[in-house]
Amino acid sequence: MGPKKGEAVIVRCLFLLALMILLSSSTLAESRTLADFFSHLDQAASILKTQADLEAQRSNLLAQEALKGLEVFGGVSGGFQKSPYAREPFGHFFDPMARIGLRYPLLGSAERQQRAIEDAAAQVRIETIRLDWSRRLAALFLEENYAAYWSAQKILTLTDNYLHLRNEGVENLLRKRQEAGLLFKSDYFEFLSAFERAQRTQVEFYNNSNQALMRLAHLTNTTVMPFTPIKPPLGKIADTLPNEVDQLDLRILQTQIDNLQNIRDTQNWQGIESDVSVTGFGGPAIPHPSPPDGMQWGYGGAVGFNFRMPLEIVSYRKNEQSRLNSQLISLRADYTRRGQELQHEFHALLSSFQQLTQQINFQRTRLEAAQELLRERYLRLQVLDGDVVEQYLQALNTYYRVAVENIEAESEHWKLHIRLRQFILLPSMPGEDSYPETDIASLSSPLQQAKKFLTNGGNVTLKQSDELITPVSTQFISGQLAVYVWNFDELITQTGLWNKKETHAINRFLVSLDAQQISLVADNPQSVHNFLHDAHHRKKKIELLLGDPSWILPEYRHHLIQIIHKLKAVSFDGLHLDIEPDQLESELAGKARLEEFIETIRQVAAISPWPIGISIHPRYLTQDSSFGLCVLCELSQIGIKEITVMYYTMNIQAIVTALKSAMQQHRTLVFSLAQSLEKELGSENSYAHKPRHHFINAMQHLQDQLQSSNFGGLIIQSWLDWEHYLHENPL
């Protein structure tokens, strides 16, 4: 029994080692967005087949159009007749004759040709609908597999961190406590079974990950290696039902109904075939007897009107009209029935989606409760004896299960969002993520803390406890922060401002002045000069912040120019423009609005005595979402020094991916990242609703991930919110 058990352990260890190698390779793989796969979508087999069917129907339409109109007809004839009345002993030869003519269809014949063309055109429209729908379904199916891969990778990362705890000493710690009589053996095996379940989860989601990769490769007809997936922003789905859903079979039925309706309304000569023809003929005339000098030739022509109809034409026309009416009624009934079925299916899916949205809220509340329980149990380790270690490990197991359930709920929510988009159309690039994910870094943070605890031999040192309970007034994050200041009049008059703990982590203040303050400073700049002198003495930078979107418009642009002229004598460290195009209330829209935005900045750069920074929405980082304009290219050519991206989301990975891509493409620009502490924003966009340790971890993670020569740091929105947040969220 002993050797067999040892062999089984070795086999299991080798299997887990192989899994860890594969997982580490996928961890180090490059990041790939969903948009990267869409460029290969036309290679999907279903799309290629539908394209071929469409080309076949287009060829048939061209063939039917070629059959319409004038027709050429003709023939050559000759013959022989054996008769006792013939003059020749061998009979009488008919004169050979050739004829050729043109025929133009009329009445029912013309309508028959036109109906063939309209039927072919309707079939082309149907195949076009099928192709569009095939592309749409292929994109949604691709996204569904991308979502499956995303959730599998997140769960594998979390599970890998959890299973590492076993190797870091959990099993040894539990064994020692069990041998010392501090832990029941049943509890010991219960703890071990939690790791066995995690190993089963690891194998399950590793298989799911591989299957998703294979399906992605099949859909794109390319080789897909392991990569780091990034959840795209998902558009908001309204809680109310639309009047009509968008489905393939409804479009096809409507096309058939329109075609049949057109036939019924335009076909007036059913059963009456007719045409007008012009015929020319000629040939040799053979007289009897033939003249000695050979054959004689003759020719002629004729114009004719031809028609053909059944004797029961009235009955035929009546029954044909009845057939068309019955077909039309049948198609309309199918359309109504199918529409009702689709409304029911959509309503059921929407109800499930709404329930799952509430389930995610419940799961996140459970996750916060599990995090808090883990933190409390960790703090108890330093002051209490007894079973506090077991309670901490129990809380750790509970946290892992809840975190996995949270990821699974987010994955199912995403997949339901995809299925709902089979019925309704949403913007392809929503401005913000209405259903943000829980970041994997924040999910893994408690497991990393447990790893430190185990590495220390199961002891909580004073240094570790200090990390949890020391207020973050002197040691915030590795990099300094900047802050938007919209209440400069209160800031400049604060007593002891530079000694306050809220100020220690701030090295740059972007201060906004209203119209009255601008006039006062222009007339008497001494107070601002004193403030700037004190700030510079403490190595703090003060930049002028101007933020009225109306300055984008040509008719208001001169106001901004005048302000700069008034304040150019003040030694600000820079000028920062927060004139977001999306906040402009004007009929000017799209590309024209962006062009005026760039023109305003160009004119400001021409006269500004200070370096200029710009705040922009993350959508303007790429040309595709900027109406074909490369906004960053234009700003770089103007001479802008800093781009601040106002990316308000809890999805850290999405932020890192977007900014890293921009920083690599535009190395002459310095990029900063704005994050919000505004209570007015929702919990998915602002850290005002998060505990301070969550905010600290997130900011530190962003600093670490975005560290680069052209990364300018983090900017907090805003100073007033920063003060309130530190006051309301003590550690």
Side-chain angles (χ1 to χ4, degrees), residues 536-602:
H536 292 160
H537 180 69
R538 291 166 175 81
K539 298 182 180 180
K540 310 286 186 183
K541 292 184 178 181
I542 308 296
E543 299 180 16
L544 176 61
L545 173 62
L546 299 176
D548 188 343
S550 66
W551 293 330
I552 293 174
L553 300 175
E555 58 266 31
Y556 299 112
R557 191 175 292 151
H558 67 280
H559 295 309
L560 176 58
I561 305 298
Q562 289 174 357
I563 292 173
I564 295 173
H565 280 302
K566 285 182 179 180
L567 300 177
K568 64 182 180 180
V570 182
S571 56
F572 289 113
D573 295 294
L575 169 63
H576 196 93
L577 297 179
D578 183 14
I579 50 174
E580 292 188 70
D582 296 326
Q583 294 181 355
L584 178 63
E585 296 181 1
S586 169
E587 295 181 356
L588 190 67
K591 186 176 181 180
R593 177 181 293 193
L594 275 183
E595 289 173 342
E596 294 299 335
F597 167 72
I598 293 170
E599 179 58 28
T600 296
I601 296 172
R602 180 179 289 108

Coordinates of all heavy atoms in Angstrom, one line a residue, residues 536-602:
H536 N 6.2 76.2 -3.8 CA 7.5 75.8 -4.5 C 8.5 75.6 -3.4 O 9.4 74.7 -3.6 CB 7.9 77.0 -5.4 CG 7.0 77.1 -6.6 ND1 7.0 78.3 -7.3 CD2 6.2 76.3 -7.2 CE1 6.1 78.2 -8.3 NE2 5.6 76.9 -8.3
H537 N 8.4 76.3 -2.3 CA 9.4 76.0 -1.2 C 9.2 74.6 -0.6 O 10.2 74.0 -0.2 CB 9.1 77.1 -0.1 CG 10.1 76.9 1.1 ND1 11.4 77.2 1.0 CD2 9.8 76.5 2.4 CE1 12.0 76.9 2.2 NE2 11.0 76.5 3.1
R538 N 8.0 74.1 -0.7 CA 7.7 72.7 -0.2 C 7.7 71.7 -1.4 O 7.2 70.6 -1.2 CB 6.4 72.7 0.5 CG 6.5 73.4 1.8 CD 5.1 73.7 2.4 NE 5.2 74.3 3.7 CZ 5.4 75.6 4.0 NH1 5.6 76.4 2.9 NH2 5.5 76.1 5.2
K539 N 8.3 72.1 -2.5 CA 8.4 71.3 -3.7 C 7.1 70.8 -4.2 O 6.9 69.7 -4.7 CB 9.3 70.1 -3.4 CG 10.8 70.5 -3.1 CD 11.7 69.3 -2.8 CE 13.1 69.8 -2.5 NZ 14.0 68.6 -2.3
K540 N 6.1 71.7 -4.1 CA 4.7 71.4 -4.7 C 4.6 72.3 -5.9 O 5.0 73.4 -5.9 CB 3.6 71.7 -3.7 CG 3.8 71.1 -2.3 CD 3.5 69.7 -2.2 CE 3.6 69.2 -0.8 NZ 3.4 67.7 -0.7
K541 N 3.9 71.7 -6.9 CA 3.7 72.4 -8.2 C 2.2 72.9 -8.2 O 1.3 72.2 -7.7 CB 3.9 71.6 -9.4 CG 5.4 71.2 -9.6 CD 5.6 70.5 -10.9 CE 7.1 70.2 -11.1 NZ 7.3 69.4 -12.4
I542 N 2.0 74.1 -8.7 CA 0.7 74.7 -8.8 C 0.4 75.0 -10.3 O 1.2 75.7 -10.9 CB 0.5 75.9 -8.0 CG1 0.9 75.7 -6.5 CG2 -1.0 76.4 -8.1 CD1 0.1 74.7 -5.8
E543 N -0.6 74.4 -10.9 CA -0.9 74.6 -12.3 C -2.3 75.2 -12.4 O -3.2 74.9 -11.6 CB -0.9 73.3 -13.1 CG 0.5 72.6 -13.1 CD 0.5 71.3 -13.9 OE1 -0.5 71.1 -14.7 OE2 1.5 70.6 -13.7
L544 N -2.5 76.1 -13.4 CA -3.8 76.7 -13.6 C -4.7 75.7 -14.3 O -4.4 75.1 -15.3 CB -3.6 78.0 -14.5 CG -4.9 78.7 -14.9 CD1 -5.7 79.2 -13.6 CD2 -4.6 79.9 -15.8
L545 N -5.9 75.5 -13.8 CA -6.9 74.6 -14.3 C -8.1 75.4 -14.9 O -8.7 76.2 -14.1 CB -7.4 73.7 -13.3 CG -8.6 72.7 -13.6 CD1 -8.2 71.8 -14.8 CD2 -9.0 71.9 -12.4
L546 N -8.3 75.3 -16.2 CA -9.4 76.0 -16.8 C -10.3 74.9 -17.5 O -9.9 74.1 -18.2 CB -8.9 77.0 -17.9 CG -8.0 78.1 -17.3 CD1 -7.5 78.9 -18.5 CD2 -8.8 79.0 -16.3
G547 N -11.7 75.0 -17.2 CA -12.5 73.9 -17.6 C -13.9 74.3 -18.0 O -14.9 73.7 -17.4
D548 N -14.1 75.1 -19.0 CA -15.4 75.4 -19.5 C -15.5 74.8 -21.0 O -14.8 75.3 -21.9 CB -15.6 76.9 -19.6 CG -17.1 77.3 -19.9 OD1 -17.8 76.4 -20.5 OD2 -17.5 78.4 -19.7
P549 N -16.3 73.8 -21.2 CA -16.4 73.2 -22.5 C -16.9 74.1 -23.6 O -16.6 73.9 -24.8 CB -17.4 72.0 -22.3 CG -17.4 71.8 -20.9 CD -17.2 73.1 -20.2
S550 N -17.6 75.2 -23.3 CA -18.1 76.1 -24.3 C -16.9 76.8 -25.1 O -17.1 77.3 -26.2 CB -19.0 77.2 -23.7 OG -18.3 78.0 -22.8
W551 N -15.7 76.8 -24.5 CA -14.6 77.4 -25.2 C -14.2 76.7 -26.4 O -13.4 77.1 -27.2 CB -13.4 77.5 -24.2 CG -13.6 78.5 -23.1 CD1 -14.4 79.6 -23.1 CD2 -13.1 78.4 -21.8 NE1 -14.4 80.2 -21.9 CE2 -13.6 79.5 -21.0 CE3 -12.2 77.5 -21.1 CZ2 -13.2 79.7 -19.7 CZ3 -11.9 77.7 -19.8 CH2 -12.4 78.8 -19.1
I552 N -14.7 75.5 -26.6 CA -14.5 74.7 -27.8 C -15.1 75.4 -29.0 O -14.5 75.4 -30.1 CB -15.0 73.3 -27.7 CG1 -14.3 72.5 -26.6 CG2 -15.0 72.5 -29.0 CD1 -14.9 71.1 -26.3
L553 N -16.2 76.1 -28.8 CA -16.9 76.7 -29.9 C -16.2 78.0 -30.3 O -15.7 78.7 -29.5 CB -18.4 77.0 -29.5 CG -19.2 75.9 -29.0 CD1 -20.6 76.4 -28.5 CD2 -19.4 74.9 -30.2
P554 N -16.1 78.2 -31.6 CA -15.4 79.4 -32.1 C -15.9 80.7 -31.6 O -15.1 81.7 -31.3 CB -15.6 79.4 -33.7 CG -15.9 77.9 -33.9 CD -16.6 77.4 -32.7
E555 N -17.2 80.8 -31.3 CA -17.8 82.1 -30.9 C -17.5 82.4 -29.4 O -17.6 83.5 -28.9 CB -19.3 82.1 -31.0 CG -20.1 81.0 -30.3 CD -20.3 79.8 -31.2 OE1 -19.4 79.5 -32.1 OE2 -21.3 79.1 -31.1
Y556 N -17.0 81.4 -28.6 CA -16.6 81.6 -27.2 C -15.1 81.4 -27.0 O -14.7 81.6 -25.8 CB -17.4 80.6 -26.3 CG -18.9 80.8 -26.4 CD1 -19.7 79.8 -26.9 CD2 -19.5 82.0 -25.9 CE1 -21.1 80.0 -27.0 CE2 -20.9 82.1 -25.9 CZ -21.7 81.2 -26.5 OH -23.0 81.3 -26.6
R557 N -14.4 81.1 -28.0 CA -13.0 80.7 -27.8 C -12.2 81.9 -27.3 O -11.2 81.8 -26.6 CB -12.4 80.2 -29.2 CG -11.1 79.6 -29.1 CD -10.7 79.0 -30.5 NE -11.6 77.9 -30.8 CZ -11.9 77.5 -32.0 NH1 -11.5 78.3 -33.1 NH2 -12.6 76.5 -32.3
H558 N -12.6 83.1 -27.7 CA -11.8 84.3 -27.4 C -11.8 84.6 -25.8 O -10.9 85.2 -25.3 CB -12.4 85.6 -28.1 CG -13.8 86.0 -27.7 ND1 -14.9 85.3 -28.2 CD2 -14.2 86.9 -26.8 CE1 -16.0 85.9 -27.6 NE2 -15.6 86.8 -26.8
H559 N -12.9 84.1 -25.1 CA -12.9 84.2 -23.7 C -11.7 83.5 -23.0 O -11.1 84.0 -22.1 CB -14.2 83.7 -23.1 CG -15.4 84.4 -23.5 ND1 -15.6 85.8 -23.4 CD2 -16.6 84.0 -24.1 CE1 -16.7 86.2 -23.9 NE2 -17.4 85.1 -24.3
L560 N -11.4 82.3 -23.5 CA -10.3 81.6 -23.0 C -9.0 82.3 -23.3 O -8.1 82.4 -22.4 CB -10.3 80.2 -23.6 CG -9.1 79.3 -23.3 CD1 -9.0 79.1 -21.7 CD2 -9.2 77.9 -24.0
I561 N -8.8 82.8 -24.5 CA -7.6 83.5 -24.9 C -7.4 84.8 -24.0 O -6.3 85.1 -23.5 CB -7.7 84.0 -26.4 CG1 -8.0 82.8 -27.3 CG2 -6.5 84.7 -26.8 CD1 -6.9 81.7 -27.2
Q562 N -8.5 85.5 -23.7 CA -8.5 86.6 -22.8 C -8.0 86.3 -21.4 O -7.2 87.0 -20.8 CB -9.8 87.3 -22.8 CG -10.2 88.0 -24.1 CD -11.6 88.6 -24.0 OE1 -12.3 88.4 -23.0 NE2 -12.0 89.3 -25.1
I563 N -8.5 85.2 -20.9 CA -8.1 84.7 -19.5 C -6.6 84.5 -19.5 O -5.9 84.9 -18.5 CB -8.9 83.5 -19.1 CG1 -10.3 83.8 -18.9 CG2 -8.3 82.8 -17.8 CD1 -11.2 82.6 -18.7
I564 N -6.1 83.8 -20.5 CA -4.6 83.5 -20.5 C -3.8 84.8 -20.6 O -2.8 85.0 -19.9 CB -4.3 82.6 -21.7 CG1 -5.0 81.2 -21.5 CG2 -2.8 82.4 -21.8 CD1 -4.9 80.3 -22.6
H565 N -4.3 85.8 -21.4 CA -3.6 87.1 -21.4 C -3.6 87.8 -20.1 O -2.6 88.4 -19.7 CB -4.2 87.9 -22.5 CG -3.8 87.6 -23.9 ND1 -2.5 87.6 -24.3 CD2 -4.5 87.2 -25.0 CE1 -2.4 87.3 -25.6 NE2 -3.6 87.0 -26.0
K566 N -4.7 87.7 -19.3 CA -4.8 88.3 -18.1 C -3.9 87.8 -17.0 O -3.3 88.5 -16.2 CB -6.3 88.2 -17.5 CG -7.3 89.1 -18.2 CD -8.6 89.0 -17.6 CE -9.7 89.9 -18.2 NZ -11.0 89.7 -17.6
L567 N -3.7 86.4 -17.1 CA -2.9 85.7 -16.0 C -1.5 85.4 -16.4 O -0.8 84.7 -15.6 CB -3.7 84.5 -15.6 CG -5.1 84.7 -15.0 CD1 -5.8 83.3 -14.8 CD2 -5.1 85.5 -13.8
K568 N -1.0 85.8 -17.6 CA 0.3 85.4 -18.0 C 1.4 85.8 -17.2 O 2.5 85.3 -17.2 CB 0.5 85.8 -19.5 CG 0.5 87.3 -19.7 CD 0.7 87.6 -21.1 CE 0.8 89.1 -21.4 NZ 0.9 89.4 -22.8
A569 N 1.2 86.8 -16.3 CA 2.2 87.3 -15.4 C 2.4 86.4 -14.2 O 3.4 86.6 -13.5 CB 1.9 88.8 -15.0
V570 N 1.4 85.6 -13.9 CA 1.5 84.7 -12.7 C 2.4 83.5 -13.1 O 2.2 82.8 -14.1 CB 0.1 84.2 -12.3 CG1 0.2 83.4 -11.0 CG2 -0.8 85.5 -12.1
S571 N 3.3 83.1 -12.2 CA 4.2 82.1 -12.5 C 3.7 80.7 -12.1 O 4.2 79.9 -11.3 CB 5.5 82.3 -11.7 OG 5.2 82.4 -10.3
F572 N 2.5 80.3 -12.8 CA 2.0 79.0 -12.6 C 3.0 78.0 -13.2 O 3.8 78.3 -14.1 CB 0.7 78.8 -13.3 CG -0.4 79.5 -12.6 CD1 -1.1 80.6 -13.2 CD2 -0.9 79.1 -11.4 CE1 -2.1 81.3 -12.6 CE2 -1.9 79.7 -10.8 CZ -2.6 80.8 -11.4
D573 N 3.0 76.7 -12.7 CA 3.9 75.7 -13.3 C 3.4 75.1 -14.5 O 4.1 74.3 -15.2 CB 4.1 74.6 -12.2 CG 4.8 75.1 -11.0 OD1 6.0 75.5 -11.1 OD2 4.2 75.2 -9.9
G574 N 2.1 75.4 -14.9 CA 1.6 74.8 -16.1 C 0.1 75.3 -16.3 O -0.5 75.8 -15.4
L575 N -0.4 75.0 -17.4 CA -1.8 75.2 -17.7 C -2.5 73.9 -18.1 O -2.0 73.1 -18.9 CB -2.0 76.2 -18.9 CG -3.4 76.3 -19.5 CD1 -4.3 76.9 -18.5 CD2 -3.3 77.2 -20.8
H576 N -3.6 73.6 -17.4 CA -4.3 72.3 -17.7 C -5.7 72.7 -18.1 O -6.5 73.4 -17.5 CB -4.4 71.5 -16.4 CG -4.7 70.1 -16.7 ND1 -3.8 69.1 -16.9 CD2 -5.9 69.5 -16.8 CE1 -4.4 67.9 -17.1 NE2 -5.7 68.1 -17.1
L577 N -6.1 72.1 -19.3 CA -7.4 72.4 -19.9 C -8.3 71.2 -19.7 O -7.9 70.1 -20.2 CB -7.3 72.7 -21.4 CG -6.5 74.0 -21.7 CD1 -6.4 74.2 -23.2 CD2 -7.1 75.2 -21.1
D578 N -9.4 71.3 -19.0 CA -10.4 70.3 -18.8 C -11.6 70.7 -19.6 O -12.7 71.0 -19.0 CB -10.6 70.1 -17.3 CG -11.6 68.9 -17.1 OD1 -11.8 68.1 -18.0 OD2 -12.1 68.8 -16.0
I579 N -11.5 70.7 -20.9 CA -12.7 71.1 -21.8 C -13.1 69.9 -22.6 O -12.8 69.8 -23.8 CB -12.3 72.3 -22.6 CG1 -11.0 72.1 -23.4 CG2 -12.1 73.6 -21.8 CD1 -10.6 73.2 -24.4
E580 N -13.8 69.0 -21.9 CA -14.1 67.7 -22.6 C -15.2 68.0 -23.6 O -16.2 68.6 -23.4 CB -14.6 66.7 -21.6 CG -13.6 66.2 -20.6 CD -14.1 65.1 -19.7 OE1 -14.3 64.0 -20.3 OE2 -14.3 65.3 -18.5
P581 N -15.0 67.5 -24.9 CA -16.0 67.6 -25.9 C -17.3 67.0 -25.6 O -18.4 67.5 -26.0 CB -15.3 66.9 -27.1 CG -13.9 67.0 -26.8 CD -13.7 66.9 -25.4
D582 N -17.3 65.9 -24.8 CA -18.6 65.2 -24.5 C -19.5 66.0 -23.6 O -20.7 65.7 -23.5 CB -18.3 63.9 -23.9 CG -17.6 63.0 -24.9 OD1 -17.8 63.1 -26.1 OD2 -16.7 62.2 -24.4
Q583 N -18.9 67.0 -22.9 CA -19.7 67.8 -21.9 C -20.3 69.1 -22.6 O -21.0 69.8 -22.0 CB -18.8 68.2 -20.7 CG -18.4 67.1 -19.9 CD -17.6 67.5 -18.7 OE1 -17.3 68.7 -18.6 NE2 -17.2 66.6 -17.8
L584 N -20.0 69.3 -23.9 CA -20.4 70.4 -24.6 C -21.9 70.3 -25.0 O -22.2 69.3 -25.7 CB -19.5 70.7 -25.8 CG -19.9 71.9 -26.7 CD1 -19.8 73.2 -25.9 CD2 -19.0 71.9 -27.9
E585 N -22.7 71.2 -24.7 CA -24.1 71.2 -25.1 C -24.2 72.1 -26.3 O -24.3 73.3 -26.2 CB -25.0 71.7 -23.9 CG -25.0 70.8 -22.7 CD -25.9 71.3 -21.6 OE1 -26.6 72.4 -21.9 OE2 -26.0 70.7 -20.6
S586 N -24.2 71.4 -27.5 CA -24.2 72.2 -28.7 C -24.7 71.2 -29.8 O -24.6 70.0 -29.7 CB -22.8 72.7 -29.0 OG -22.8 73.2 -30.4
E587 N -25.2 71.8 -30.9 CA -25.6 71.0 -32.1 C -24.3 70.5 -32.8 O -24.4 69.5 -33.6 CB -26.4 71.9 -33.1 CG -27.7 72.3 -32.5 CD -28.6 73.1 -33.5 OE1 -28.0 73.4 -34.6 OE2 -29.7 73.5 -33.2
L588 N -23.2 71.1 -32.5 CA -21.9 70.6 -33.1 C -21.6 69.2 -32.5 O -21.6 69.1 -31.3 CB -20.8 71.6 -32.8 CG -19.5 71.4 -33.5 CD1 -19.6 71.7 -35.0 CD2 -18.4 72.3 -32.9
A589 N -21.4 68.3 -33.4 CA -21.2 66.9 -32.9 C -20.2 66.2 -33.7 O -19.8 66.6 -34.8 CB -22.6 66.2 -32.9
G590 N -19.8 65.0 -33.2 CA -19.0 64.1 -34.0 C -17.6 64.6 -34.3 O -17.0 65.3 -33.5
K591 N -17.2 64.4 -35.6 CA -15.9 64.8 -36.0 C -15.7 66.3 -36.0 O -14.6 66.8 -35.6 CB -15.6 64.3 -37.4 CG -14.2 64.5 -37.9 CD -14.0 63.9 -39.3 CE -12.6 64.1 -39.8 NZ -12.4 63.4 -41.1
A592 N -16.7 67.1 -36.3 CA -16.7 68.5 -36.3 C -16.4 69.1 -34.9 O -15.6 70.0 -34.7 CB -17.9 69.1 -36.9
R593 N -17.0 68.5 -33.9 CA -16.8 68.9 -32.5 C -15.3 68.7 -32.1 O -14.7 69.5 -31.5 CB -17.7 68.2 -31.6 CG -17.5 68.5 -30.1 CD -18.5 67.8 -29.2 NE -19.8 68.2 -29.4 CZ -20.8 67.9 -28.5 NH1 -20.5 67.2 -27.5 NH2 -22.0 68.3 -28.8
L594 N -14.8 67.5 -32.5 CA -13.4 67.2 -32.1 C -12.4 68.1 -32.9 O -11.4 68.5 -32.3 CB -13.1 65.7 -32.5 CG -13.4 64.7 -31.5 CD1 -13.0 63.3 -32.0 CD2 -12.8 65.0 -30.1
E595 N -12.7 68.5 -34.1 CA -11.9 69.4 -34.8 C -11.8 70.8 -34.2 O -10.8 71.4 -34.1 CB -12.3 69.5 -36.3 CG -12.1 68.2 -37.1 CD -12.7 68.2 -38.5 OE1 -13.6 69.1 -38.7 OE2 -12.3 67.4 -39.3
E596 N -13.0 71.2 -33.7 CA -13.0 72.5 -33.0 C -12.3 72.4 -31.7 O -11.6 73.4 -31.2 CB -14.4 73.0 -32.8 CG -15.2 73.3 -34.1 CD -14.5 74.5 -34.9 OE1 -13.8 75.3 -34.3 OE2 -14.7 74.5 -36.1
F597 N -12.4 71.3 -31.0 CA -11.6 71.1 -29.7 C -10.1 71.2 -30.0 O -9.4 71.9 -29.2 CB -12.0 69.7 -29.2 CG -11.1 69.2 -28.1 CD1 -11.2 69.7 -26.9 CD2 -10.3 68.1 -28.4 CE1 -10.4 69.2 -25.8 CE2 -9.4 67.6 -27.4 CZ -9.5 68.2 -26.1
I598 N -9.7 70.6 -31.0 CA -8.2 70.6 -31.4 C -7.8 72.0 -31.8 O -6.7 72.5 -31.4 CB -7.9 69.6 -32.5 CG1 -8.1 68.2 -31.9 CG2 -6.5 69.8 -33.0 CD1 -8.0 67.1 -33.0
E599 N -8.7 72.7 -32.5 CA -8.4 74.1 -32.9 C -8.3 75.0 -31.7 O -7.4 75.9 -31.7 CB -9.4 74.6 -33.9 CG -9.2 76.0 -34.4 CD -7.9 76.2 -35.1 OE1 -7.3 75.2 -35.7 OE2 -7.3 77.3 -35.1
T600 N -9.1 74.9 -30.7 CA -9.0 75.7 -29.5 C -7.7 75.5 -28.8 O -7.0 76.4 -28.4 CB -10.2 75.3 -28.6 OG1 -11.4 75.7 -29.2 CG2 -10.0 76.1 -27.2
I601 N -7.3 74.2 -28.7 CA -6.0 73.9 -28.0 C -4.8 74.5 -28.9 O -3.9 75.0 -28.3 CB -5.9 72.4 -27.9 CG1 -7.0 71.9 -26.9 CG2 -4.5 72.0 -27.3 CD1 -7.1 70.4 -26.8
R602 N -5.0 74.4 -30.2 CA -3.9 74.9 -31.0 C -3.7 76.4 -30.8 O -2.6 76.9 -30.7 CB -4.2 74.7 -32.5 CG -3.1 75.2 -33.5 CD -3.4 74.9 -34.9 NE -3.3 73.5 -35.2 CZ -4.3 72.6 -35.4 NH1 -5.5 73.0 -35.3 NH2 -4.0 71.3 -35.6

